[in-house]
Amino acid sequence: MRDQLLFDLLSKELKRQREGIELIASENFTSLQVIQAMGSVATNKYAEGYPGKRYYGGCEVVDEIEQLAIDRLKKVFNASWANVQPHSGAQANTAVFLACLKPGDKILGLDLSMGGHLTHGSPANFSGKNYQAFFYGVDRETGLVNYEQLEEIARKEKPTMIICGASAYSRDWDYKRIRSVADEIGALVLADIAHPAGLVAAGLLNDPFDYCHIVTSTTHKTLRGPRGGVIMMRNDFDNPFGIKDPKGNIRSMSALLDLAVFPGMQGGPLEHVIAAKAVAFGEILDPSFKIYQQHVKENAQKMAACFVEKGYHLISGGTENHLMLIDLRNKNITGKKAQETLDRAHITLNKNSVPFDDKSPFVTSGMRVGVPAITTRGLKAEHMQTVVDMIDTVLMNADDEKIISSVKEQVKSFMLQFPLYPELS
Ligand code: DSN
């Protein structure tokens, strides 16, 4: 019997996505073929292990699927090794920690309250519970990563691993500088490029692979694939811990990472998601993906300029990637209220702490705005003013339901110009 209840809910979600302005910086709209690969028979297959080395029979086809995903991903980032099995970015980071750290080892990452990520050492997360976490931040005046502070803490604490990457940082990273201090103290460098990976793939941001030993990413943000994670290296290396296999050989870092993903942390890989990752990586290798990312960057810069024009305070003054972080304190509205009010007008984004925030993470003083999803819908730089005008109208009339309702109608008719999944009913 058809599960009408559930499929009606999915229709409602499609309607919501079609009629709203999606500005959550970590979201995107995949192609229909990505969705089709994800909703495929590959979900039925158990395949613990890796292509050619599985613990189950009948894996000959999923072997080909997984190998295709690996080969395409390596090509996208000019990497020599990749693991496409992590179920998420958090799982990818977990596997790296499992492979490279012992419980209690020191790690150094960007503070969550300054734009970092939970898995980079937050006390609420496994990374802060199992390891001794230290944090660098951003400069109060410029909003840029405080590399002097990073270097100072690195030299003093000598962490086993330095983590770069963020979930709410609108500028590029100086990977070379981070590697230089890491080499001084013998630390590994992990770049978590979950957010800007698409721009990195398109060559529009600094390339972390030459300087960072290991790179992790999600696949569903700017990479525009299915929800999931990956781990990559451009240059494999002998593990720095001298771990030997039964024949007395030192295991390479790639072998340790593969073992950390399976059997270390996960069981059966999600081969249907890996199939969808293969599709997305194929799309990234098409020249149209670079054009998409150029539009992402243009849209973000134009949107940032429109916000600044209206007196909004952007952390670091602007953006070089796909997102911006806005401090709303001069607009007398909290991040929480901004998010909730914009939701009522079908403009979706998230509240976000800003550096040196005086409000709790549940309230926050800021909002994070990203353009990957609206750029996929087809919005161009000339549409950014309209989007910012609608956001501003809502925020400046946050207690006026009539105005909010009227913006909701404008949002709906505006977005109808940009069809989403027209093939779906
Ligand atoms: N939740 C993701 C984001 O929104 O950036 C990070 O994991």
Side-chain angles (χ1 to χ4, degrees):
M1 197 176 75
R2 179 83 173 165
D3 188 339
Q4 207 50 51
L5 179 60
L6 186 279
F7 285 99
D8 283 351
L9 286 172
L10 287 176
S11 296
K12 253 169 101 174
E13 173 58 13
L14 175 59
K15 184 172 176 331
R16 188 196 69 80
Q17 292 186 13
R18 280 180 174 150
E19 293 181 359
I21 297 182
E22 181 52 70
L23 296 170
I24 293 177
S26 46
E27 292 192 11
N28 212 328
F29 300 109
T30 70
S31 67
L32 194 56
Q33 58 175 353
V34 165
I35 291 176
Q36 286 163 339
M38 219 174 345
S40 69
V41 292
T43 194
N44 297 330
K45 191 71 201 94
Y46 246 122
E48 286 179 2
Y50 289 101
K53 291 167 286 186
R54 305 284 191 183
Y55 287 83
Y56 291 84
C59 287
E60 62 275 14
V61 182
V62 290
D63 274 5
E64 282 189 61
I65 291 172
E66 188 166 336
Q67 196 56 52
L68 185 64
I70 293 168
D71 293 344
R72 285 180 175 172
L73 180 61
K74 280 161 58 177
K75 208 163 165 193
V76 165
F77 288 104
N78 188 20
S80 68
W81 172 85
N83 186 310
V84 297
Q85 291 193 0
H87 301 337
S88 69
Q91 302 283 86
N93 288 344
T94 307
V96 174
F97 287 20
L98 200 57
C100 301
L101 303 170
K102 296 185 296 302
D105 273 0
K106 293 180 178 179
I107 56 173
L108 172 60
L110 179 63
D111 199 316
L112 179 62
S113 69
M114 303 263 176
H117 190 256
L118 264 180
T119 57
H120 299 180
S122 162
N125 181 260
F126 86 95
S127 55
K129 293 185 196 294
N130 293 351
Y131 309 101
Q132 213 184 324
F134 295 86
F135 300 101
Y136 54 93
V138 300
D139 182 84
R140 193 184 275 272
E141 294 307 313
T142 63
L144 302 178
V145 162
N146 188 335
Y147 290 98
E148 287 78 21
Q149 186 189 30
L150 184 158
E151 288 162 344
E152 197 182 308
I153 302 173
R155 289 185 184 116
K156 180 159 177 270
E157 299 298 340
K158 300 198 171 27
T160 308
M161 179 178 280
I162 301 177
I163 305 152
C164 47
S167 58
Y169 184 61
S170 63
R171 297 290 171 177
D172 207 350
W173 287 79
D174 190 343
Y175 300 112
K176 190 175 179 186
R177 185 165 177 180
I178 296 172
R179 175 60 183 264
S180 172
V181 70
D183 282 348
E184 251 181 65
I185 60 165
L188 291 171
V189 182
L190 164 64
D192 176 347
I193 61 167
H195 263 269
L199 290 155
V200 172
L204 299 174
L205 285 175
N206 291 336
D207 181 349
F209 281 86
D210 279 337
Y211 299 108
C212 304
H213 298 91
I214 304 169
V215 178
T216 55
S217 182
T218 53
T219 46
H220 49 276
K221 299 186 174 89
T222 47
L223 286 181
R224 210 163 55 176
R227 201 158 281 283
V230 290
I231 312 173
M232 300 164 281
M233 285 188 292
R234 180 162 294 158
N235 303 304
D236 197 1
F237 54 100
D238 283 344
N239 77 74
F241 320 107
I243 297 172
K244 292 181 183 163
D245 70 11
K247 292 182 182 153
N249 299 315
I250 302 259
R251 304 300 301 265
S252 63
M253 204 62 230
S254 57
L256 288 185
L257 288 164
D258 276 339
L259 287 167
V261 174
F262 172 82
M265 181 201 52
Q266 292 182 174
L270 308 177
E271 290 297 341
H272 57 306
V273 177
I274 290 172
K277 286 174 180 174
V279 174
F281 302 153
E283 291 172 352
I284 294 168
L285 289 168
D286 188 88
S288 59
F289 188 78
K290 182 162 185 176
I291 297 167
Y292 162 63
Q293 291 298 342
Q294 281 162 340
H295 285 307
V296 166
K297 213 166 168 169
E298 275 167 31
N299 283 352
Q301 283 172 5
K302 178 67 191 200
M303 180 180 273
C306 294
F307 273 119
V308 168
E309 172 98 349
K310 285 190 176 294
Y312 286 83
H313 175 216
L314 269 60
I315 305 299
S316 87
T319 181
E320 289 165 352
N321 56 26
H322 60 297
L323 66 80
M324 60 213 76
L325 182 58
I326 303 180
D327 186 337
L328 292 166
R329 281 177 283 201
N330 67 335
K331 297 289 183 181
N332 291 320
I333 185 165
T334 65
K336 182 174 190 285
K337 180 143 187 182
Q339 177 189 311
E340 287 170 358
T341 314
L342 286 163
D343 242 351
R344 296 210 295 280
H346 289 185
I347 299 173
T348 313
L349 48 67
N350 63 285
K351 66 184 177 204
N352 215 104
S353 295
V354 293
F356 310 99
D357 208 326
D358 52 347
K359 296 190 184 69
S360 82
F362 298 104
V363 179
T364 80
S365 297
M367 61 182 190
R368 186 183 66 163
V369 190
V371 299
I374 54 169
T375 307
T376 296
R377 289 289 297 265
L379 275 73
K380 300 278 181 334
E382 67 261 27
H383 302 114
M384 294 302 110
Q385 186 70 56
T386 308
V387 174
V388 171
D389 285 346
M390 289 193 277
I391 293 172
D392 184 56
T393 303
V394 171
L395 296 184
M396 293 304 101
N397 299 279
D399 295 314
D400 189 328
E401 276 314 316
K402 228 171 128 189
I403 293 183
I404 293 167
S405 278
S406 117
V407 174
K408 181 169 108 180
E409 288 312 309
Q410 279 175 47
V411 166
K412 188 173 164 182
S413 58
F414 179 66
M415 291 313 290
L416 280 177
Q417 299 172 73
F418 307 97
L420 179 66
Y421 305 125
E423 306 88 341
L424 300 179
S425 55

